[in-house]
Amino acid sequence: MRKALFLALALLVALAPDVHAQFATGNIYGTVTDESGAVLAGAAVTLTSDLGTRTTTTSTQGEFRFLNLDRGRYKITVANAGFTTMTRDVTVTTGENVNVTFAAKVAQQEETVTVTAETPLVDTKKRGTGTTLTTEELADIPNARDPWGALRAVPGVLMDRVNIAGNENGQQAAVAGKGSESSDKMWNLDGLAITDMSATGASPTYFDFEAFNEINVSTGGNDLAVQTGGININLTTKRGTNRFHGGGRMLIAHDDFSFGNVPDELANDPRLAGNDKANHIKQISDYGAELGGPIIKDKLWFYGTYGKQDIRLITLTQTNDKTLLPSYNGKLNWQATGSTMLSAYYFLGSKQKFGRGVGYPLTETDDFLWNQDNAFTDGGLPGGLSKLQVDHTFSPNFFVSAKAAYYDTGFGLFARGGAEKSYTLDYVSGEAIGSYQDYEAIRPQKIFNLDGSYFFEAAGGNNELKFGFGYRDLSTTSVSHFNGNQLAGKINAEDDYVALVWRDGVVEYGGKYMSFYAGDVYTKNRLTLNFGARFDSQTAKNFGSEAPANASFTNAVPAVQYDGDSDNIIEWSTWSPRVGVGLALDEARRTVVRASYANYADQLSFGWVTDENPISYGYLAYRWNDRNGDRFVQPGEVDLNDFLYNNAIDPDDPGGVGSTPNRIDRDLKPKRDHELVLGLDREIGNNFAIGAAYTWRRAYDWDYRPRLGSECQGAPTRSSCRIIQPNEYTQNAASTANGYTAFTYSPPADLVTAGAGGRLRTNAEGFHTSFSGLELTLLKRLSNRWMGRIAFSWNDWTMHWDGQPYGIGMTTFGTAGSPTREERDPNVEGGQVAILSGGSGKASFYTNTKWQLYANGLVQLPWGVDLSGAMFGRQGGAYPVSLLLSGGRDGSLRALATSEVDSQRYPNLWNLDLRLAKTIKLGGAGLTLAAEWFNVMNNDVVLSRYRFANQGAFTQTVSGARPNEGLGRVEEIIVPSIFRFGARFTF
């Protein structure tokens, strides 16, 4: 009931300003003049389509506009007494502005003139970089039918995996772009921000690809309504129209339709168990139905979809991976008055996965893998997203929109090995065995947005004042449970056995996000100026909870109870200025040069506050003697007198809740980004445009977690906490294995003890990253029976220090503050930024890809036949070779054994996909039969190899290792060439 009241109250407040919706939808800006060029004020302008009818009048400057339009084809009619009535068809695309002009002739008699000019491709109001994937590209170009897979078409976007025919649809990809982390990414559904801020930058769910109208992706020069400078993804869904429409589809790819691509080096690999295929698709089916239409024509419309993907894979080690992705969408649109549109939307994207990889760089046995399912709060609205929206036009110059939503979302991961087993990470054999932890996270969101545009004349030109307000209230209940006797093993070397004595984590925490922005878009003749600022307030704190003792050692790791934080632990208040300029070089406005500058503030990962939650999951590490040789830890094999290191538990006070080893700097600031974008767009013909853009970024105030050398004196800050400096670490002896040499540094044990093994989350002073990137694009919109897109990008992302390099831990696993050169912290001045994907069974460095190329094309042949294709190429990702070596109290480190993280690379990747489709007309309906061929060249490119040169797996030649060439065992190859067949009925 309280959630329903929240939605209702939010909408009562809603009749005040929106522009956030303007990047979620499209806009039409128009000017009406007479033949001499004099503006015509007061002309009646009508916009009609199957989506309804809107009307307005031209201003004293002869201007009109229609904002927040859904993707589609519209007819504009302009009427003015004494002049000809004019009509023109225009196409509106998500996230783009259409600029049109009408020149009315004096009418000798009543007549109507049809303007036949094509909708311009060059957007004179654009200031940044981005891509809109159109309905035709989503439906008629061969693709993975997955929003992450579709991102390969966007220049500057870097991903950690290759998706062939949907083999990666069951797991989110890690995605970075143009000097931004995956955690900078923002997800929007019909203009509503739904980003999972607990797993910051992730989507909270999965989607029915068939429900999408278009996908708009911005990568730079972001609108004021967008908080970060990272990739901003907006998924627009279909809606009802004045025509009943719908249909159903069935697509299937099967092992029987595929080829083999096992390279010779794996021909005798025992992991294949005699199979002639390594990583491959067992079966992927995608089916569903949709229906939409009018309830009351021109007044009330409905639309609904159901879709399901059934993804069944076989890994290189022949384990099964099955994922089910059912999804429901329902939408109502009500044109309440000529100036008010209301809409209600419900969405539930579910996921059930059987055999999800945990993400360790080891062969994970079937028991070690996870099964996954949804998890929701108990009570209130049903699980999923419930959203209400009001769009209102107060006058031709004043437009507003409001959105309110409650999103009940969450998931659980359950170890396939069951509750009786514990687990071990065996780096000697290259295996992860046993039953890993169970994890459940429930993450509800309350969301409200209020945005607006007001148009006025000043300074000799036209002004569009944009302003808005946003609010999000998010919380997470996170439970991590360790199975069996709750003793985990790590076998780092033949003489290095470590036992981890775990305590479950039961943590509850929340974050609140509030924003305001205001800016002006000033236009005069061919000049456009954008300027404004955005304010963000972000706070986070822990709530009360309790966790049980370790099942084997209740005294060493006792139960704990926590009452929660009385005040916010993190409080950020930031301003973000944005400035842009665009100039059309010709009167026809076919050539536009543009530039923009922005300073972005990072979005808060409110889960950081669990650093100071005394009952977040953690462990004490001791020496382990595996007496029975079973590779699993028994209580009698743990030497409690030989303590090694700790994580999130104070070894001197493991049951204490008044203080925690880990602290958060109360002066912690968000990462900031300076960004400059320079661009040129040229429409070289009807429906044909080219573009170029250069992006420069400098990111600073990165967070990192150096070790504490003593307890903080008072509230934790850089000045009150003793941080162990890089020059205080001791260099350890070098180690050599299989031609590779590396060494580590150890922190002073006495200082680590004095700091209770804790770390301080603070800002990395003197550290910054720089990005320089170029993108070239060519776009041919569908006309004259063909379309195409080409996108090329060059990316160079480097890290820099003022002084001695030190690890900042750009991923969860980095050893922050240590001068040890790790694969994730290469500590090379001017070296490539190295971010390792994790948590989804992938272990690739995806931020080092210098170049990428994507191209697609569609030709509509006679007899209802379509031929289309897509090609993707990229530089091979970094392949760093490391040694697993001891770093003292830092534990086992992945010491980099190459000069730089990208000294070695995997082979370059090229992939070609083709599609042939035939549509059979059945009266007013159609049946489309399609055959798609993925990985046409049947590449056998290696995507991942074992990286640790001092472990046995590095020399397993029968499994593809080539130690003489510095190459470890093959862990993953691209899936082989495969066909997907589909049938789609539409009416």
Side-chain angles (χ1 to χ4, degrees), residues 446-525:
K446 299 175 184 177
I447 313 165
F448 177 63
N449 285 107
L450 188 63
D451 311 276
S453 286
Y454 182 74
F455 296 84
F456 62 97
E457 300 163 16
N462 299 304
N463 299 263
E464 179 183 359
L465 177 63
K466 297 183 175 185
F467 46 95
F469 165 78
Y471 176 77
R472 298 179 72 193
D473 186 346
L474 299 88
S475 64
T476 293
T477 299
S478 175
V479 179
S480 299
H481 171 68
F482 292 84
N483 292 306
N485 58 20
Q486 299 188 316
L487 304 177
K490 288 183 68 178
I491 304 176
N492 299 313
E494 296 290 352
D495 58 351
D496 186 5
Y497 282 55
V498 177
L500 307 180
V501 182
W502 281 101
R503 179 166 62 204
D504 288 349
V506 183
V507 297
E508 298 186 35
Y509 51 97
K512 294 185 178 181
Y513 301 77
M514 185 169 61
S515 64
F516 302 90
Y517 67 86
D520 188 22
V521 181
Y522 172 82
T523 57
K524 183 175 183 180
N525 298 324

Side-chain angles (χ1 to χ4, degrees), residues 613-628:
N613 192 309
I615 54 176
S616 60
Y617 72 91
Y619 60 78
L620 301 179
Y622 299 92
R623 188 66 60 191
W624 164 35
N625 182 3
D626 187 19
R627 295 189 183 94
N628 62 7

